Structure formats: C-alpha cells, structure tokens
Amino acid sequence: MTESKRRGPRQAEAERNDRALLRAARHVLAADGEHASVAAIAAAAGVGIGSLYRRYRTKEELFQRLAELSLDNWNQAAERGLAEDDPWEGLASFVAACVEFGQGSLAPIAGTIKVTKEMQAKSDRSDELLAALVARAHQARVLRPDVTVVDISLLIEQFGRSPALDQLRKQGREDLVEAAAGAHQRVLTIAVDGLRACHPRPLPGDPPSDRLFTERWAHETGQA
Amino acid sequence: MTESKRRGPRQAEAERNDRALLRAARHVLAADGEHASVAAIAAAAGVGIGSLYRRYRTKEELFQRLAELSLDNWNQAAERGLAEDDPWEGLASFVAACVEFGQGSLAPIAGTIKVTKEMQAKSDRSDELLAALVARAHQARVLRPDVTVVDISLLIEQFGRSPALDQLRKQGREDLVEAAAGAHQRVLTIAVDGLRACHPRPLPGDPPSDRLFTERWAHETGQA
DNA sequence: CTATAACCGGAGTGATTCGCTCCGCAAGTT
DNA sequence: AACTTGCGGAGCGAATCACTCCGGTTATAG
C-alpha cells in the first residue's frame, strides 16, 4: 500500500473513537454542565480514559475542539439554509440543524473557551450568515417583523438542550431516548411556528442586545 | 407580646435567610445542575454554610423542600389560570408563572427526590389542573388541536431554565441579568404564540407519552 | 507462524472539592 | 449586665477530580 492515509494497524478504530468522544462530550456536557468529568465523557463514548488523553492533551483541548466543531456546524447549516429557495424553509431548517447538533450544550463552558483569531473569523462569518437568513425572511414577509437576530440565537440556545433527553440518557433509558427526541422536535416545531409573520401582536420588551452573547465569551486571543 | 410566632431575637433574619436560600438554590441548581454544592448555594444566598445546615439537616432535605415548593407553585399557578375568564389567557399565564418560578431548575435532581404520599397527592392534583386548563382551551378552539398535556409540560420544562441568564448570574454580571430575563420573556412569548390555534399544519411525530415524566422520578414512597 | 508497531483500557496519584460539624461571636430581649 | 438565639466560616474525613503510566490486545509485515 502506497497510501498516505493508513499509518497504523488500528487507525480505523481510532477515528471511530474520536467521533464517539466528541459526540459523547456534547451529551455529557449537556447533562452535567461545566463540571462534566473526563471519566464520564470517556465512559459515555465507550472508550478508556487513556484513549481520550492520547488524542487531547487536556480537557480544555477537547472542549476547544468541540467549540470549533460547533461553529463549523453553525456555518454549514446557515449556508445550507441560504441555498434553499424558500426563505422560510431556509431559516427553519437552519434552526433545526443547530438544535439537533446540540448547539446549546456548550453554553456552560462558554467562558472557558479561548477565542483564537481563527475562531473569531468563524464567529464573524456566523453572524453574517444568520443576518442574511433573517433579512431574507423579513423581506419575504414570512418572519414576524419585530424578531431580531438575537431572538433567533436565543431560541436556538434555548432548544439546544433537552432536560428530559439529557436525564434519560444519563439514566441509561435508551428505550425512551428516541421518544424524548421526537417530543423535543414537536415542541421546537411549536416554537418555530411562533416566529411566523401571522402573529400580529408585537413582542414584549425592547429588542435584546447582542451583549447577551458577546459578554459571555472569553476574549483573550491566543494563537491558532 | 402573647404572640405564638416570635420565638427568638433574630427570628426575622432567619426567615429572610430561609427565603434567600430557597431562591438561591433554584438559581444555583439551574446553573450547576445536580452537582450544585451547598457552599455555592449558601454563597449565592449571602448566608453562611452554618445557617443553611441549621434549617436543613442535609442537602437532600433542602432539595426535597424545593421540590415541594415547586409543586405548590405549579398548582397555585394553575388555579389562578382556571380562575381567569379567558381560556387562552388562563393557560398562557399559567405557563408564564411556571417558567418564571424556574420550574425547570429541578429537572437535574428529579431522580433523587423521594415521592412521599403527600407529594404524590399534590402531583396528581397538578395533573388534573393542567388537564382542565388544556381541555378548556381546546373547547374554546384557541389551542392548536393536536397539542397535548405532555407538550405543554415539556414546553414549561424547556423554558424553565435560561442558559444565558444562568451563566450571567454565575459571572456576577448583575447588570445584564435584567436584560437577559427580558429576552427570555420575548422568546417564551414566541413559543407560546406557536401554541395558538391559528397554525393549521399538524405537529410532527406521535403525541408524546407521559412516561417521559413519570419514568424520571423516583418512586420509593417514604413517609410524609 | 512470529515479530513489531500502533493503539487500547483502566489502576494509580496527588490535588482539589465535597457534605457536614463545631464553635466563637454578634444581635436582640429582659 | 445576663442570657438566648441565630450567625459565619474554619476545619475534617471522604469522595472525586484531571491526568499519568503501563501491561495487554489487535492488525499488518515478513
């Protein structure tokens, strides 16, 4: 074999484990918050602690990678949404994709993430993409007129976790996890329908400031 | 004074502290999940650890009291909602009251609560009250026809916590807490509007099973 | 088959945090 | 002043944390 990919006998298993780790980290982070332990993450992924530490030198490094993946997922979902013809469906599918990924699971560790220049660029791009999605929906008059970009972000964060799902998963009730996921989808559908332009009454209070997001992330710019 | 109430020189301070403790416990539980420490709760309430343990013999006893308060609040809110003339306003105000109380903050400790006969009675009553609220809204044709009692419960649980609010509170950014609370209200208004009967399309998936709730609470019946 | 390289799992380690106790002190009452 | 009641937090053993280290296992090469 002259392939440049395979570098070891158990490379395939290693890649599977890596994916399982990142997925498990989201779930455990959602269930346990910022105190989520590496032991719990490794156990949820079905791998040993040693395997986790071979890939990520520290817990922070794993979380950093998770934050990067989350931003990538956000941007990809937004691009797919903009590629759709229907402005409403584009926005709705974007919200659904972010929720399904579990975008809200990293809220508890937001303050511990180092914002590198690379991350900052991705974050800026995510702001632009969401603004474009919202503007397009407003122009098509399918989105409630006083809904802002921040409202959408908060809605995604609010639904980015499911307390019922988290707890059932931790209890090991895998039989109910699917039902809980379906129920979560239902409630999300209800909330998204509340964004439609058919509701005449204005939203209460002032439009929310984006400081509700910017102030929650660390701003020390390390190196990429 | 022949009053039977005052039993000591600092009784008033003690009552204030007790209220502050219960309030702080909800906030810390929301922010830290099931691993919330008594030290964090006492600090958030502005009292010493000793004062906490004089009122509650163990951490579990405090959580137990919190669960009882939560059920009481639920039932009182439901009764107020039924007392309103407008079926829609009655349901909406019930949901808002439960969300504001932070009903969702005890989801992480649901599995650790002992269900006494007293609690079970209150829980049964809460089921009846919510069913009545929902049935009345359905009969008035103001509630989306395929919305069930479980959907409403999940919506309340979903909004019973605000990740942004929790994190800002933990960071001590009291200046932004008010703004975050207002923003949370906005998003809740959006979601509740999604419950209105004006949405013709059916909800996805099967109606959710109430096992999503019953299976998450411990069932060992201790004594009241 | 054997040898070897790559990767695995988890027991062990020092440091930290946990729930909880105990006690000296402050604040009211008489 | 004497006394009662509640206060705060230092300190304790136990539990848990992030992380290291190494003997075992699996897949390929010869």
Side-chain angles (χ1 to χ4, degrees), chain A residues 19-191:
Chain A
R19 269 190 293 272
L21 273 174
L22 290 165
R23 178 182 187 77
R26 292 203 318 261
H27 293 166
V28 175
L29 217 42
D32 289 349
E34 70 174 329
H35 305 303
S37 71
V38 289
I41 293 173
V47 308
I49 300 177
S51 301
L52 192 159
Y53 274 97
R54 198 170 313 103
R55 241 161 297 282
Y56 304 96
R57 283 177 300 184
T58 66
K59 187 187 184 184
E60 275 72 33
E61 198 171 303
L62 170 63
F63 286 171
Q64 195 79 23
R65 174 94 181 107
L66 213 55
E68 204 180 329
L69 275 186
S70 174
L71 262 180
D72 289 344
N73 177 78
W74 175 291
N75 289 347
Q76 287 166 19
E79 280 164 2
R80 281 200 308 271
L82 282 171
E84 291 192 32
D85 291 332
D86 184 333
W88 173 260
E89 286 303 321
L91 180 60
S93 73
F94 162 72
V95 171
C98 289
V99 166
E100 192 183 11
F101 182 82
Q103 209 83 37
S105 54
L106 353 126
I109 57 164
T112 74
I113 303 291
K114 278 192 186 174
V115 182
T116 65
K117 291 172 188 170
E118 202 177 354
M119 290 270 289
Q120 188 61 52
K122 287 181 182 180
S123 176
D124 291 344
R125 174 152 175 73
S126 78
D127 290 344
E128 294 170 18
L129 288 169
L130 175 56
L133 270 172
V134 169
R136 194 171 70 140
H138 270 145
Q139 279 162 16
R141 312 246 177 233
V142 292
L143 182 62
R144 210 163 165 162
D146 49 357
V147 165
T148 72
V149 171
V150 179
D151 288 320
I152 304 284
S153 298
L154 283 171
L155 188 110
I156 290 172
E157 185 174 18
Q158 189 74 48
F159 280 91
R161 287 189 46 210
S162 167
L165 197 57
D166 295 341
Q167 199 194 342
L168 288 168
R169 198 134 48 191
K170 196 190 304 194
Q171 287 179 357
R173 300 295 307 259
E174 296 296 335
D175 51 330
L176 287 177
V177 163
E178 204 176 348
H184 191 241
Q185 274 290 332
R186 274 173 74 95
V187 183
L188 175 62
T189 302
I190 291 171

